[in-house]
């Protein structure tokens, strides 16, 4: 169960999702420069902290109409990000030390109702490399279903990535 601390904070049993701040740069750069974490991301691992500084600044400055994105904190340390950089597409990344503990499921399980509550969208979407088994399993667990596939949608370095497109429709309102 998640508590909405404020419009800009989501609290779960183990995590706090909050808006990004410029002081998050070292932790965010550690993740975005990690080749393991970035294997199926839409860009190469950041080679330079300036790339991460720009990435973080864009996240901080993004308009609330088109973006609803959070850093993920565990025990006071930033371990990732989760949210919609561009509504309605969801994106997330955690530092590999924190994988396999149900944390992404916990974060997204709280985030998704929050996104539906705040934005008048019919569905949340995702675009995943078909080789990204962890991401596909996570989304399936959360109720996302495949809506399509396309080849060579994104060139990352020398490599072309394919896409599996998925969507989670807005739940029907409960009948009382
Ligand atoms: C995708 C990612 C966020 C998953 O984080 P996580 O905290 O390890 O995921 P969870 O522990 O919550 O697991 C969610 C489900 O996925 C499954 N899963 C996790 N890692 C898996 C793997 N490598 N292969 C297959 N299934 C996996 C879990 O078993 C769980 O399913 P279950 O509930 O049936 O047991 C993490 O791997 C990550 O940050 N990857 C790099 C960034 C990335 O690829 N982001 C997505 C871009 S589309």
């Amino acid at each position: 169960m998640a508590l909405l601390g404020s419009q800009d904070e989501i609290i779960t049993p183990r995590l706090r999702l909050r808006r990004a701040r410029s002081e998050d740069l070292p932790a965010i750069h550690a993740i975005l420069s990690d080749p393991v974490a970035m294997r199926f991301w839409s860009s190469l691992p950041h080679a330079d902290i300036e790339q991460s500084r720009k990435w973080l600044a864009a996240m901080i400055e993004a308009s609330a109409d088109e973006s609803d994105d959070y850093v993920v904190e565990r025990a006071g340390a930033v371990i990732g990000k989760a949210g919609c950089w561009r509504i309605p597409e969801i994106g997330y990344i955690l530092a590999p030390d924190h994988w396999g503990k149900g944390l992404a499921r916990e974060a997204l399980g709280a985030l998704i109702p929050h996104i539906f509550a705040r934005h008048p969208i019919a569905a949340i979407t995702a675009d995943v490399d078909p080789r990204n088994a962890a991401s596909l399993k996570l989304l399936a667990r959360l109720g996302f279903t495949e809506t399509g596939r396309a080849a060579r949608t994104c060139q990352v370095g020398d490599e072309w990535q394919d896409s599996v497109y998925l969507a989670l429709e807005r739940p029907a309102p409960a009948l009382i």
Side-chain angles (χ1 to χ4, degrees), residues 13-170:
R14 291 178 291 175
L15 303 170
R16 174 180 179 224
L17 279 63
R18 63 157 173 82
R19 297 298 179 202
R21 304 193 281 251
S22 53
E23 311 87 86
D24 298 328
L25 180 60
I28 287 292
H29 182 62
I31 298 165
L32 298 180
S33 60
D34 182 333
V36 174
M38 294 291 280
R39 176 65 187 95
F40 299 118
W41 204 247
S42 51
S43 64
L44 289 172
H46 291 189
D48 179 343
I49 198 163
E50 287 311 313
Q51 264 179 289
S52 300
R53 195 188 306 279
K54 282 187 192 146
W55 189 96
L56 186 61
M59 188 172 169
I60 293 168
E61 288 158 18
S63 127
D65 292 342
E66 35 177 46
S67 186
D68 199 353
D69 221 354
Y70 299 82
V71 295
V72 178
E73 262 187 18
R74 184 181 189 199
V78 171
I79 63 159
K81 92 105 199 175
C84 296
W85 158 243
R86 285 292 176 260
I87 298 161
E89 185 174 322
I90 200 162
Y92 38 82
I93 186 167
L94 297 183
D97 285 355
H98 299 273
W99 291 1
K101 300 180 170 82
L103 292 170
R105 199 171 161 197
E106 183 171 319
L108 267 58
L111 179 67
I112 286 167
H114 182 76
I115 300 274
F116 277 129
R118 291 186 65 169
H119 306 281
I121 50 174
I124 296 172
T125 62
D127 176 346
V128 182
D129 186 300
R131 298 167 297 178
N132 193 347
S135 186
L136 289 170
K137 184 77 186 291
L138 168 68
L139 292 173
R141 272 301 208 176
L142 291 162
F144 280 72
T145 54
E146 187 174 326
T147 56
R149 283 184 183 236
R152 294 168 68 85
T153 49
C154 181
Q155 189 175 12
V156 181
D158 295 335
E159 183 187 70
W160 278 97
Q161 293 182 347
D162 299 338
S163 288
V164 181
Y165 300 113
L166 302 107
L168 177 70
E169 288 185 15
R170 175 182 288 277

